[in-house]
Amino acid sequence: MIHGNIVDIFAIDNKVAITDPVYPVYLDTNVMAGRSGKYNEKKGTYENIVYLPVTAENNFKPELPKEKVDMIYLCFPNNPTGTVLTKEDLKVWVDYAKQNNSIILYDAAYEAFIEEENIPHTIYEVEGAKDVAIEFKSYSKTAGFTGVRCAYVVIPKTVKGYTKNGEEVKFNTLWNRRTCTKFNGVSYIVQRAAEATYTNEGKKQIEENIEYYKENARIIKKGLEEAGFSVYGAVNSPYIWLKVPEQMTSWKFFDKLLEEVNIVGTPGSGFGPHGEGYFRLTAFGTRENTIKAIERIKNWNI
Ligand SMILES: *Cc1c(COP(=O)(O)O)cnc(C)c1O
């Protein structure tokens, strides 16, 4: 939800960059706020929004925008692709933001799934990020809070924007004002639940839970690869991003998967035009169902 609220503290004519495919909330909240132009049916994109393709061709690493943008949404480990950026990859974005007075809106919702070395757990591991980055951290995926809703946002006092007259404004001050005006806070019982995730027992339970999902992700990745699919993500992430067979759209694959082996997933094209030809599966199921589904896919004559 914070992702939807943060747009309040930016000017309406700020230019937004998102990856394509993307977690739809970043795009839709800005469209609702009036920050986009018209929708182009044919291209499946909005005018005035900068789309940064992330596909197998560029190894799921977005390239810097060719024009100056003001707000850059980055989410790593990524939803939907399950891919990550290294510290060096992220440094390029921090440097761009510094040079262009842009703000990076960094979503670390899946940080707890990181297992590889040199993958930053927070953007503040990158030098200079404290001057240009706002970070979101939701409890939804770390601690299974999806229905309960609790999250926090980090806005260092060094992150500044500029008024039309060139005056410096701290985003921290704007956010404080915005929150005190429009939000009454997360309920006490939910705050206590969030607090409990930092106790030894809480940490242990969360780790076990995440390990359970990560094992599901390994099972899905291995099974799909054995079935001949190209598979991305699934390592530092609960998401498995697969390439659908040639000449098939994401939705065609969705239909076949549902009708022929009774498995539901998410068509990549729903996350943006460059998600076309891909498909997202998640590890957030039971072990039993995960194994059953993968067996069906392996025996599937697609
Ligand atoms: C699920 C998810 C969230 C969680 O958002 P909440 O509103 O806190 O539940 C945030 N970012 C991404 C990319 C997600 O997939």
Side-chain angles (χ1 to χ4, degrees):
M1 277 300 95
I2 325 176
H3 318 86
N5 300 336
I6 200 83
V7 297
D8 279 0
I9 62 171
F10 287 87
I12 206 74
D13 56 358
N14 276 171
K15 190 138 219 166
V16 175
I18 53 167
T19 60
D20 171 18
V22 77
Y23 179 55
V25 174
Y26 313 143
L27 174 63
D28 296 349
T29 51
N30 279 293
V31 172
M32 288 175 193
R35 212 164 271 117
S36 73
K38 288 207 181 95
Y39 185 65
N40 183 325
E41 281 291 342
K42 221 165 149 192
K43 286 193 196 154
T45 56
Y46 285 89
E47 286 169 11
N48 216 30
I49 300 278
V50 175
Y51 291 78
L52 310 165
V54 278
T55 59
E57 283 68 38
N58 63 11
N59 212 7
F60 301 95
K61 295 182 194 289
E63 278 171 35
L64 291 175
K66 300 204 169 48
E67 60 203 287
K68 175 183 155 36
V69 298
D70 304 299
M71 301 158 66
I72 304 159
Y73 285 88
L74 295 176
C75 170
F76 292 97
N78 188 256
N79 180 9
T81 66
T83 56
V84 289
L85 292 188
T86 63
K87 234 179 256 185
E88 291 71 33
D89 294 332
L90 256 188
K91 178 79 167 60
V92 173
W93 286 94
V94 169
D95 291 345
Y96 171 93
K98 282 201 152 182
Q99 278 154 19
N100 292 281
N101 282 340
S102 330
I103 300 295
I104 297 173
L105 299 154
Y106 194 74
D107 188 347
Y110 297 94
E111 172 275 326
F113 289 82
I114 294 173
E115 62 178 56
E116 289 181 318
E117 296 278 320
N118 201 33
I119 306 299
H121 286 253
T122 153
I123 194 168
Y124 303 117
E125 286 181 41
V126 177
E127 199 198 319
K130 279 191 181 132
D131 297 325
V132 292
I134 290 175
E135 182 166 298
F136 307 106
K137 194 72 195 292
S138 169
Y139 291 84
S140 283
K141 311 303 165 17
T142 309
F145 270 46
T146 36
V148 191
R149 309 228 89 90
C150 187
Y152 60 84
V153 58
V154 181
I155 310 185
K157 296 209 168 85
T158 39
V159 178
K160 288 168 190 148
Y162 299 88
T163 66
K164 287 234 154 56
N165 303 328
E167 274 170 73
E168 259 185 21
V169 184
K170 288 190 184 118
F171 275 102
N172 184 290
T173 310
L174 294 178
W175 180 246
N176 185 41
R177 182 71 196 272
R178 191 265 172 218
T179 304
C180 295
T181 308
K182 286 201 188 178
F183 188 48
N184 292 324
V186 172
S187 68
Y188 181 66
I189 191 169
V190 171
Q191 288 187 44
R192 290 306 297 263
E195 184 188 17
T197 68
Y198 297 103
T199 61
N200 285 337
E201 180 56 24
K203 276 192 218 155
K204 200 171 133 254
Q205 289 178 8
I206 287 171
E207 265 170 39
E208 279 168 14
N209 218 20
I210 287 176
E211 195 36 56
Y212 181 92
Y213 292 137
K214 283 174 61 157
E215 178 62 16
N216 284 351
R218 284 188 281 270
I219 291 168
I220 298 170
K221 179 172 152 61
K222 185 163 171 282
L224 289 174
E225 281 170 351
E226 282 167 14
F229 287 97
S230 295
V231 181
Y232 309 96
V235 177
N236 301 287
S237 166
Y239 294 124
I240 296 91
W241 189 243
L242 65 101
K243 190 95 189 73
V244 308
E246 286 293 324
Q247 318 299 344
M248 207 182 278
T249 64
S250 299
W251 273 109
K252 179 74 193 163
F253 185 78
F254 172 89
D255 286 340
K256 281 177 78 72
L257 191 71
L258 179 61
E259 283 166 19
E260 296 174 16
V261 282
N262 306 136
I263 296 168
V264 173
T266 315
S269 52
F271 298 98
H274 282 86
E276 181 57 89
Y278 292 90
F279 200 81
R280 193 192 74 177
L281 292 175
T282 98
F284 290 126
T286 63
R287 179 67 40 79
E288 195 191 357
N289 284 346
T290 300
I291 291 171
K292 209 191 278 177
I294 287 306
E295 283 311 311
R296 284 193 202 152
I297 290 179
K298 278 164 75 175
N299 296 323
W300 183 23
N301 213 340
I302 186 178

